Amino acid sequence: MSLKFIRVFVSSLRQHLPRQNNLLSGFQIRTITAMEVAPVDKKDNLVQDKNRTRYKRRRQWDDRKENGESQEKKTCDKPFERIKRKKMAMLLGYCGVDYYGMQRNPGVPTIEEDLLKALYEAKYITEDDFNNQQNAQFQRSSRTDKGVSAARQVVTYSYTLPTYVFESNVASEDERKAYRITSQKIDQVNEVLGYYKGTKSYHNFTEKKHFQDPSSLRYMMSFVLERVFMESEMEFAELLVKGQSFMLHQIRKMIGLMIAVVRGHTDISTLEKSFGKEKVMIPTAPGLGLVLDK
């Protein structure tokens, strides 16, 4: 039964499937004849373009003659003044009160703005140099923050502060005037400041820096309490820090952390931790006592 069924199925397929000849008969082959394109003579176009250009130039020359223009060179209305530039270095000192730092900042009073204005009024720089100081190759050796003064702006910084800030139990005005720092306290201050010596990462002592940033590495040569003196019936101390370079707020934060350690608000481990990878919040000392010494 199965063999008979297969034979019937095959014969049915032969009857219904189209033959190969019928498939081929449905196709029609057509030929397309390519159109002949007439060659274009490029030489004629070039000649026409040249003639048109010559005619245009001739018309321009005729128009200039009609307007009375000659081949003579025109002279400038204003004589040209050649400015001979010289590279100069300036040594200046300033009081930073009521100023927003050294660097020029549009919209706020700065030392650099007044300096450039004075140079322009004295005709040491041109108006273009005043508007764009880079034209005059203006450079500064360093910069100061808001309210910071400079004795000589050409890097050693000094910071002056009253000695009573090293004690946490001095509150009244009379106690502040009567306070006198001891030799033991001076030794303690110098011991804490000694931790800053050498090359360390000061990423926690500035803004927008991280531990792996190479620019956070700074070399401090020395940091000491230089002297103690009296002024207006109050005792003051002068701190002197010497380094290759400094970052924004770095010195003020170094002093702020030192005061916190000396007063007992934290210990020396916090200072050591500030040079590591961990983020440490450090207090910032006021900018009023900071002076760029030399």
Side-chain angles (χ1 to χ4, degrees), residues 177-191:
K177 289 184 177 181
Y179 178 81
R180 299 293 180 266
I181 192 171
T182 62
S183 58
Q184 292 81 5
K185 184 65 69 173
I186 294 176
D187 293 339
Q188 184 184 5
V189 171
N190 286 326
E191 181 183 359

Side-chain angles (χ1 to χ4, degrees), residues 225-263:
L225 194 158
E226 182 70 12
R227 66 189 181 101
V228 177
F229 62 94
M230 295 293 298
E231 182 67 33
S232 301
E233 300 180 357
M234 188 173 292
E235 188 180 59
F236 289 87
E238 183 182 20
L239 308 177
L240 202 63
V241 55
K242 184 178 181 180
Q244 285 187 343
S245 58
F246 299 93
M247 295 181 291
L248 180 66
H249 303 321
Q250 178 185 339
I251 298 177
R252 294 166 59 190
K253 285 182 175 290
M254 292 167 68
I255 296 173
L257 182 55
M258 178 272 296
I259 294 175
V261 174
V262 173
R263 289 169 65 100

Side-chain angles (χ1 to χ4, degrees), residues 53-112:
T53 304
R54 291 173 182 173
Y55 174 74
K56 189 175 181 180
R57 290 178 179 175
R58 191 180 302 112
R59 286 294 304 272
Q60 291 177 353
W61 177 254
D62 294 339
D63 294 341
R64 290 176 60 184
K65 283 186 176 181
E66 292 177 0
N67 295 332
E69 297 182 4
S70 61
Q71 297 181 357
E72 297 180 359
K73 295 182 179 180
K74 294 183 178 180
T75 58
C76 298
D77 297 335
K78 296 181 180 180
F80 177 75
E81 182 181 358
R82 184 176 180 180
I83 301 176
K84 188 176 181 180
R85 297 181 179 271
K86 293 182 179 180
K87 291 185 177 181
M88 304 179 65
M90 297 185 64
L91 179 66
L92 67 148
Y94 55 84
C95 179
V97 180
D98 297 331
Y99 283 97
Y100 285 77
M102 170 67 182
Q103 190 173 5
R104 197 176 193 180
N105 189 7
V108 295
T110 60
I111 302 296
E112 203 168 271

Side-chain angles (χ1 to χ4, degrees), residues 6-17:
I6 292 173
R7 289 177 179 176
V8 173
F9 178 74
V10 171
S11 62
S12 177
L13 287 176
R14 289 178 179 177
Q15 293 176 2
H16 290 85
L17 287 177

Side-chain angles (χ1 to χ4, degrees), residues 20-77:
Q20 186 175 2
N21 295 334
N22 295 334
L23 291 174
L24 293 176
S25 61
F27 289 93
Q28 295 181 2
I29 300 175
R30 294 185 300 173
T31 58
I32 300 175
T33 305
M35 296 178 62
E36 295 183 358
V37 180
V40 179
D41 191 358
K42 296 183 179 180
K43 186 175 181 181
D44 296 339
N45 292 338
L46 293 175
V47 173
Q48 293 178 3
D49 293 339
K50 289 182 179 179
N51 293 335
R52 190 180 299 109
T53 304
R54 291 173 182 173
Y55 174 74
K56 189 175 181 180
R57 290 178 179 175
R58 191 180 302 112
R59 286 294 304 272
Q60 291 177 353
W61 177 254
D62 294 339
D63 294 341
R64 290 176 60 184
K65 283 186 176 181
E66 292 177 0
N67 295 332
E69 297 182 4
S70 61
Q71 297 181 357
E72 297 180 359
K73 295 182 179 180
K74 294 183 178 180
T75 58
C76 298
D77 297 335

Side-chain angles (χ1 to χ4, degrees), residues 159-167 176 179 181 234-238 259:
Y159 191 90
T160 303
L161 72 170
T163 56
Y164 68 81
V165 300
F166 298 124
E167 294 290 346
R176 293 175 179 177
Y179 178 81
I181 192 171
M234 188 173 292
E235 188 180 59
F236 289 87
E238 183 182 20
I259 294 175

